[in-house]
Amino acid sequence: MDVGFLKPLFDRPGPWAGVYMDTSRSTEDAPRRRRLRERFVADQLTGQGADRATCDAVVERLAGEQGARASAGRALFAAGGEVVLDLPLATSPIDVVTSWSMLPRVAPLAAFRGEWPACLVAFVDQAGADLELRDDTGARPAGRAGGRRAHGRGHRSVPADRYEWHYRNRVGNTWEQTADRVADELVRQWTETDADLLILAGDPRERRAVRDRLPEPLRAKTEETRHGSRAAGCSGQLNAEIDHARAEYARAHLETVLDLFRAGRGRPGGPALGGHDGTRPPSSGAAEGVPAVVEAMRRHQAATLLLGHAGGDMRHEVWIGPDADQVAVQRSQARAMGVRTPEPARADDALMRSATVADTEVLVVPEGLQGPAGGLGAVLRWHA
């Protein structure tokens, strides 16, 4: 998961109020039930020490929510009397969960938001293609690639035996030029967006012609669908195919990262080869456990931060300063970094802050898959 959307949370100091809640049944909630939920959230935050202005901002946002929300849940983060981020969730939280802490309680987002890679969708026909970008925020137009339509022969009749070959050749040449333009535009859009996957929808002949013109690195990230056309727009079947392609991409990507983690860690189930004393960088391609991962994140070594569903490492207390790189296992280490008043924080939230600021990928390891033993690990960009 790309956690860049969390950056607004780390542009200002805490403490922070956090709320996770189910919205899948919001249309069925009576006004009285919603008011009780708002009062519960306010009472919880007040009991945890939140200031009145921030509590009021959260309750006001909840009271103003629309009756119907497309998402299964939502997460709100507020500080200084302002709701800074209000995010849809792919998975419904079981209960309303509130928090008041120096760092926003962001670690659960990795599981609740899910791993939905952004994709660029092209609806292709002989006249060109309409482009659409799908990411965590939904779907939105991304432009179009146009070609020159082949002109028909109008109402004048011509002898087929004399002109048919010339007409068909002209139509074929026009489509070849259009396919070139579509492929060029897809390459341009790919470099300008954060898409991980390209999906071609439309007639098999046209979409294959476009795919054949793509450079090999992009072609390897391209999928074709059986449904969908430029004229008809998105159908339920096409949406299901796109969702399946995104889920398969996410699954394959997680497996690749976990293979790198296990290979870098060494023997299965064993510790990473270095960094457990918290004073030196890991000497292998992976870090595992709080000291090693903290050190890797502080040094910007980590390419991917791995979070397990369970494990004591995520709840481990670390010490932080105002900067994302100021995180340490011991208070004395934080002071040695120049932090005058270190604050305690959960390891998973502190490392999520570091990952966000450093543009480090974050992945959740589902139950049943072998990941970091204590719930925290990292695949490294480089190692000593």
Side-chain angles (χ1 to χ4, degrees):
M1 180 175 72
D2 179 3
V3 291
F5 63 92
L6 294 176
K7 287 184 178 180
L9 298 181
F10 305 117
D11 289 339
R12 63 177 72 191
W16 286 86
V19 179
Y20 289 83
M21 62 193 306
D22 175 23
T23 58
S24 61
R25 297 184 299 274
S26 60
T27 55
E28 305 169 11
D29 287 349
R32 179 176 178 275
R33 180 176 176 180
R34 289 200 294 270
R35 286 195 297 271
L36 289 174
R37 185 173 61 186
E38 293 158 14
R39 183 184 302 172
F40 173 79
V41 169
D43 289 345
Q44 289 291 304
L45 290 175
T46 300
Q48 293 164 355
D51 62 274
R52 178 65 179 272
T54 300
C55 286
D56 289 347
V58 170
V59 171
E60 182 179 351
R61 177 64 64 91
L62 293 177
E65 80 173 282
Q66 299 177 354
R69 294 179 66 92
S71 61
R74 67 192 295 197
L76 283 77
F77 301 96
E82 179 185 358
V83 174
V84 179
L85 215 52
D86 184 352
L87 300 169
L89 303 177
T91 303
S92 299
I94 297 176
D95 300 310
V96 176
V97 179
T98 63
S99 60
W100 178 252
S101 53
M102 284 303 299
L103 286 184
R105 183 79 182 97
V106 293
L109 284 172
F112 285 136
R113 290 272 286 184
E115 175 63 17
W116 284 98
C119 67
L120 186 63
V121 183
F123 302 91
V124 185
D125 64 16
Q126 287 191 356
D130 291 330
L131 310 183
E132 180 182 271
L133 182 65
R134 297 193 180 195
D135 57 19
D136 289 337
T137 64
R140 57 186 181 276
R144 61 180 56 191
R148 182 169 57 85
R149 282 189 180 274
H151 296 292
R153 288 167 288 182
H155 301 290
R156 300 178 63 183
S157 175
V158 296
D161 57 351
R162 184 173 179 180
Y163 295 109
E164 190 66 28
W165 182 88
H166 296 283
Y167 172 73
R168 289 183 177 178
N169 188 57
R170 183 175 63 181
V171 171
N173 288 340
T174 301
W175 163 240
E176 296 292 324
Q177 295 169 5
T178 299
D180 288 336
R181 293 192 183 99
V182 171
D184 289 343
E185 179 63 15
L186 288 175
V187 171
R188 188 185 72 81
Q189 289 282 354
W190 184 262
T191 60
E192 294 183 358
T193 66
D194 293 325
D196 302 297
L197 185 65
L198 172 62
I199 295 178
L200 301 178
D203 184 81
R205 174 179 173 271
E206 277 79 24
R207 68 177 189 245
R208 284 196 209 102
V210 170
R211 182 170 188 165
D212 289 344
R213 286 163 169 76
L214 297 174
E216 180 55 37
L218 180 52
R219 200 181 315 156
K221 293 180 177 290
T222 301
E223 297 288 339
E224 297 182 46
T225 68
R226 293 180 299 166
H227 301 92
S229 69
R230 195 179 186 190
C234 282
S235 65
Q237 292 172 315
L238 175 60
N239 284 328
E241 284 192 84
I242 292 174
D243 288 347
H244 177 74
R246 295 173 77 183
E248 282 297 300
Y249 178 92
R251 180 194 59 77
H253 177 60
L254 175 60
E255 289 181 355
T256 298
V257 172
L258 286 177
D259 286 343
L260 291 172
F261 173 75
R262 294 166 192 145
R265 182 177 59 177
R267 57 186 178 84
L273 298 179
H276 277 276
D277 59 2
T279 61
R280 60 190 178 92
S283 57
S284 63
E288 186 175 38
V290 176
V293 177
V294 165
E295 183 68 11
M297 293 298 295
R298 189 184 67 79
R299 295 168 59 90
H300 294 193
Q301 275 183 279
T304 304
L305 174 66
L306 295 172
L307 302 178
H309 264 292
D313 284 351
M314 292 187 294
R315 298 187 298 273
H316 195 284
E317 184 178 80
V318 296
W319 296 90
I320 63 168
D323 296 333
D325 293 339
Q326 293 174 329
V327 53
V329 177
Q330 299 175 6
R331 183 187 300 192
S332 60
Q333 293 174 332
R335 284 179 175 155
M337 297 174 188
V339 182
R340 297 182 61 183
T341 309
E343 296 282 352
R346 283 180 57 122
D348 52 2
D349 290 330
L351 293 172
M352 281 279 284
R353 178 181 69 159
S354 299
T356 300
V357 174
D359 294 321
T360 299
E361 178 186 44
V362 178
L363 293 179
V364 173
V365 183
E367 293 183 65
L369 289 181
Q370 180 194 0
L376 281 180
V379 175
L380 307 184
R381 294 187 177 98
W382 54 270
H383 55 88

